[in-house]
């Protein structure tokens, strides 16, 4: 299909989500709403940045005087369930690599919003593939490396882009958190030490929470002094913030499940290369998985990864989302659309793969009330393609956030 001209649509970069809110009609030969059946010859109406109508073109009234854009395939805006983009930069220089602070093993007080660069060119690059929302922040590599955030892939400042300034607390178990001559540090030196240090901090956070609650209930009791580290971990203990646990080997995954049960906290497994060995245990624990990138290097902790893992987890009913992760070499990030496409050859269906980068990712991140599917009342975030989005020869021809093209190849 020859894409139709865009009518009165301005290409916008770097405005706040409030400013971006506009009116637009998108018409698709095939519309994947991820909220029901696929709609052939469908339309999406966005008013004031929110979806106001969706359905077949023949029966959906269109507002007069609103720009109309056509595409072969339209999906919800894609969600990268775990990345460090915005914390790392494409230049791969020391001054744009803020994803991991190596001075201490446990630093939950480090806030992603204090380091996130909303103008990082890698963010613009991701949205050219239809990625509209990212879960980014401190990456794996320390027992607790810091906080994560959720942001739209637009806006000039983090305040303009952010949906959730504190989304999760990033933790690492296993080899990834063990020191090996890093800056003279020797601890933690083993897996058992990693786990014991994490448990000790959670115990302290529980005690801190008890003291705070006691002071609130009794005016005669002095509240504990402010402790930024304990304040964050207290939110983990209370269940307000999940612990995002990067663990690849089966024994480290079991340690994560054991700690979650011991402290009755919410966790999300990240990476989980050997999760196919623990399907019953993960399902019984009710823990979702943000699976490692399909094309991550299969070495060290990931030496036993399998392309078939996603299909096995999904078949078992375990919530799964895909991620671009973190690439230590250039170009510093992957494209989650391609990562999902790879799994189609290994037991994952088309709509299952699409769900893992749209609605299922939104549910795991707790933002499905706003994004992840094309439904009335949700944000007007759409990805437009000239063919099957998972086909290598197809192209992303437009990305819409809050009803405005933030990336566009329509000529």
């Amino acid at each position: 299909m020859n894409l139709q001209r865009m009518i009165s649509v301005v290409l916008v970069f770097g405005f706040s989500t409030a400013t971006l809110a506009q009116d637009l009609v998108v018409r698709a030969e095939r519309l994947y709403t991820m909220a029901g059946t696929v709609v052939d010859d469908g339309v999406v109406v966005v008013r004031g940045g929110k979806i106001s109508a969706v359905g077949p073109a023949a029966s959906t009234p269109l507002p007069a005087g609103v720009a109309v854009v056509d595409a072969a395939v339209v999906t919800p805006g894609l969600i990268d369930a775990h990345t460090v983009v915005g914390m790392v930069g494409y230049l791969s220089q020391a001054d744009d690599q803020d994803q991991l602070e190596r001075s201490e093993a446990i630093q939950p007080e480090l806030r992603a919003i204090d380091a996130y660069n909303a103008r990082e060119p890698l963010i613009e690059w991701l949205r050219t593939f239809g990625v509209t929302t990212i879960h980014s922040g401190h990456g794996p590599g320390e027992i607790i490396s810091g906080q994560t955030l959720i942001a739209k892939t637009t806006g000039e400042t983090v305040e303009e882009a952010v949906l959730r300034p504190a989304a999760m607390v990033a933790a690492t178990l296993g080899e990834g958190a063990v020191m090996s001559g890093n800056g003279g540090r020797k601890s933690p030196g083993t897996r058992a030490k990693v786990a014991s240090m994490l448990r000790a901090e959670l115990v302290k956070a529980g005690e801190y929470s008890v003291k705070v609650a006691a002071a609130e209930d009794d005016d005669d009791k002095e509240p504990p002094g402010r402790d930024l580290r304990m304040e964050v971990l207290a939110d983990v203990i209370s269940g307000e913030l999940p612990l995002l646990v990067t663990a690849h080997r089966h024994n480290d995954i079991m340690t994560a499940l054991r700690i979650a049960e011991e402290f009755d906290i919410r966790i999300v497994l990240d990476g989980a290369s050997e999760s196919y060995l623990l399907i019953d245990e993960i399902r019984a624990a009710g823990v979702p998985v943000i699976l490692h990138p399909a094309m991550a290097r299969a070495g060290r902790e990931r030496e036993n990864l399998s392309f078939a893992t996603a299909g096995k987890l999904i078949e078992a009913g375990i919530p799964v989302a895909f991620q671009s992760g973190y690439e230590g070499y250039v170009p510093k990030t992957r494209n989650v659309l391609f990562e999902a496409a790879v799994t189609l050859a290994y037991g994952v269906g088309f709509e299952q793969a699409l769900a893992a980068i749209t609605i299922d990712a939104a549910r795991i991140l707790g933002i499905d009330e706003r994004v992840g599917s094309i439904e009335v009342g949700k944000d007007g975030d759409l990805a437009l393609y000239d063919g099957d989005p998972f086909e290598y020869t197809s192209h992303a021809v437009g990305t819409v956030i809050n009803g405005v093209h933030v990336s566009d190849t329509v000529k």
Side-chain angles (χ1 to χ4, degrees):
M1 178 187 79
N2 292 324
L3 292 173
Q4 301 298 314
R5 65 192 179 284
M6 211 170 44
I7 306 173
S8 302
V9 175
V10 179
L11 181 62
V12 178
F13 289 99
F15 287 83
S16 70
T17 52
T19 304
L20 278 175
Q22 290 189 4
D23 298 345
L24 182 71
V25 172
V26 176
R27 184 164 180 165
E29 290 183 6
R30 173 152 285 201
L31 176 63
Y32 291 93
T33 66
M34 305 313 293
T37 58
V38 177
V39 181
D40 290 323
D41 191 17
V43 295
V44 183
V45 180
V46 181
R47 302 299 299 266
K50 298 286 186 178
I51 297 170
S52 63
V54 55
S59 58
T60 304
L62 303 183
V66 175
V68 178
V69 177
D70 290 353
V73 176
V74 173
T75 74
L78 306 187
I79 300 170
D80 188 335
H82 189 202
T83 181
V84 289
V85 168
M87 303 288 283
V88 303
Y90 81 106
L91 291 176
S92 194
Q93 299 176 164
D95 63 353
D96 69 355
Q97 305 297 295
D98 283 328
Q99 77 281 3
L100 189 60
E101 168 62 48
R102 286 290 195 181
S103 60
E104 293 184 49
I106 298 178
Q107 300 184 88
E109 67 273 21
L110 301 186
R111 305 191 307 174
I113 59 171
D114 295 329
Y116 185 82
N117 177 13
R119 303 190 191 196
E120 166 56 45
L122 283 177
I123 297 173
E124 180 181 338
W125 182 77
L126 286 179
R127 71 182 179 223
T128 65
F129 295 96
V131 177
T132 58
T133 304
I134 58 175
H135 175 215
S136 187
H138 291 91
E142 295 287 357
I143 300 175
I144 299 181
S145 57
Q147 300 168 35
T148 66
L149 57 72
I150 299 171
K152 294 288 186 77
T153 54
T154 188
E156 293 186 343
T157 67
V158 66
E159 285 78 9
E160 293 174 349
V162 72
L163 289 182
R164 187 165 294 173
M168 299 187 191
V169 177
T172 306
L173 292 177
E175 180 183 335
V178 173
M179 290 296 98
S180 179
N182 176 56
R185 281 177 54 199
K186 295 181 180 180
S187 181
T190 65
R191 282 178 161 80
K193 183 67 172 181
V194 169
S196 71
M197 290 176 68
L198 176 57
R199 292 179 67 254
E201 290 300 310
L202 293 174
V203 168
K204 291 176 186 177
E207 294 171 346
Y208 179 84
S209 297
V210 170
K211 292 178 181 178
V212 171
E216 290 175 349
D217 294 338
D218 188 344
D219 292 339
D220 293 331
K221 290 188 176 180
E222 191 73 22
R226 286 203 66 184
D227 186 322
L228 296 181
R229 177 175 298 184
M230 289 298 105
E231 286 178 5
V232 176
L233 291 182
D235 287 340
V236 172
I237 291 292
S238 71
E240 183 175 339
L241 286 178
L243 202 62
L244 178 69
V245 183
T246 300
H248 288 282
R249 296 200 186 276
H250 70 280
N251 50 329
D252 297 323
I253 294 172
M254 283 304 303
T255 298
L257 299 181
R258 204 160 41 244
I259 290 174
E261 181 178 15
E262 177 183 351
F263 291 93
D264 191 23
I265 60 175
R266 290 194 296 146
I267 69 167
V268 175
L269 284 174
D270 172 67
S273 296
E274 297 182 8
S275 55
Y276 58 85
L277 299 174
L278 300 168
I279 286 177
D280 291 342
E281 290 83 356
I282 295 171
R283 179 174 52 200
V287 172
V289 176
I290 301 178
L291 196 61
H292 62 81
M295 295 301 291
R297 290 183 176 92
R300 298 179 68 90
E301 290 186 297
R302 294 194 299 260
E303 64 182 352
N304 296 319
L305 66 77
S306 168
F307 287 159
T309 300
K312 292 177 180 178
L313 295 176
I314 292 171
E315 183 181 6
I318 296 170
V320 172
F322 295 143
Q323 62 172 305
S324 63
Y326 167 59
E327 177 57 70
Y329 194 54
V330 292
K332 289 299 185 180
T333 189
R334 303 176 180 87
N335 169 17
V336 74
L337 178 63
F338 179 72
E339 297 300 325
V342 170
T343 67
L344 297 181
Y346 298 92
V348 177
F350 178 95
E351 291 196 42
Q352 290 174 325
L354 186 56
I357 53 175
T358 55
I359 187 60
D360 288 349
R363 287 171 180 153
I364 289 173
L365 298 178
I367 53 173
D368 53 302
E369 78 284 353
R370 288 193 58 175
V371 298
S373 61
I374 302 174
E375 298 181 78
V376 172
K378 288 194 174 184
D379 294 357
D381 295 357
L382 308 168
L384 286 61
Y385 303 94
D386 61 6
D388 181 342
F390 294 136
E391 175 58 53
Y392 184 73
T393 55
S394 297
H395 306 87
V397 295
T399 303
V400 175
I401 297 180
N402 297 326
V404 172
H405 268 82
V406 293
S407 179
D408 170 46
T409 61
V410 178
K411 303 299 182 183

